[in-house]
Amino acid sequence: MECRDRFAVWLVELVLEPVRALRENGAAGSVSVRTALGERRFDVTIARDGEGYRWSLCEAGGPLEVLGAEPLPDPEDAFWAAWSAIEATA
């Protein structure tokens, strides 16, 4: 694995820490993390919705705002669903 790949994996793990903590604390709540794709920055919010997790994203300083339609069983699944929405805009 190249150094660049290791750095990318480390950054993803860093972003996912608060998302995973949402699952582990078991309480209602939400967490927002900032992520990037190229020059664009996004705020992704994962919120507990009953037994599931919903996601939303907002482009920092941009027009894009998207809400996930269905609750997902895991907050990390919700994050990756939001990431797929980000990639679809690129």
Side-chain angles (χ1 to χ4, degrees):
M1 181 182 289
E2 291 184 27
C3 183
R4 174 185 275 175
D5 295 334
R6 288 182 191 163
F7 184 68
V9 168
W10 176 76
L11 283 176
V12 169
E13 291 296 321
L14 194 63
V15 168
L16 287 175
E17 276 183 25
V19 174
R20 290 175 178 150
L22 184 62
R23 171 184 353 136
E24 293 165 7
N25 78 14
S30 66
V31 64
S32 293
V33 294
R34 170 120 344 150
T35 190
L37 181 61
E39 298 294 317
R40 299 168 74 182
R41 304 291 177 260
F42 302 88
D43 293 320
V44 176
T45 300
I46 310 298
R48 187 180 305 273
D49 182 19
E51 293 296 314
Y53 298 87
R54 291 193 178 270
W55 63 269
S56 63
L57 68 92
C58 177
E59 185 173 2
L64 183 65
E65 288 190 32
V66 181
L67 299 173
E70 297 291 324
L72 296 165
D74 186 81
E76 199 168 334
D77 292 342
F79 174 84
W80 290 114
W83 181 255
S84 294
I86 290 170
E87 288 184 318
T89 67

